[in-house]
Amino acid sequence: MVRTPLTPEERERGERLGQLLRVARGDRSMTEVAAEAGISAETLRKIETGRAPTPAFFTVAALARALGLSMDDLVGRCVLVAVPGAA
């Protein structure tokens, strides 16, 4: 199966998501948060660094729960806002 290349917008959304999760994690370790979310620390590392810019919905939901974040807030903060006149 060949995966379609990500658009620049998808990559940017992934970077925003990773940054939001990293900030929300604060001083908690990746291992601790990943274990609470039921994912591997390596998966969390990839999401936080933007190397996995389109994680599965249930992965994001589990991380949001573990970090006390609302999915609505995450979506709102990751969505890209169109700039008038931008191509």
Side-chain angles (χ1 to χ4, degrees):
M1 181 170 142
V2 176
R3 186 172 178 154
T4 306
L6 298 175
T7 65
E9 292 81 14
E10 289 170 323
R11 285 194 297 275
E12 186 175 340
R13 264 196 314 267
E15 289 172 8
R16 284 183 184 200
L17 174 63
Q19 183 179 27
L20 289 168
L21 295 175
R22 194 168 38 253
V23 168
R25 185 167 55 82
D27 61 355
R28 293 173 64 188
S29 74
M30 275 189 181
T31 305
E32 175 188 347
V33 172
E36 189 174 333
I39 65 171
S40 72
E42 183 58 23
T43 296
L44 179 54
R45 182 180 339 278
K46 286 178 180 177
I47 294 168
E48 284 190 0
T49 61
R51 287 183 23 232
T54 57
F57 172 82
F58 292 106
T59 299
V60 176
L63 285 167
R65 181 185 41 77
L67 294 168
L69 300 170
S70 96
M71 289 294 288
D72 289 337
D73 187 43
L74 276 180
V75 169
R77 293 172 67 188
C78 289
V79 79
L80 301 178
V81 178
V83 177

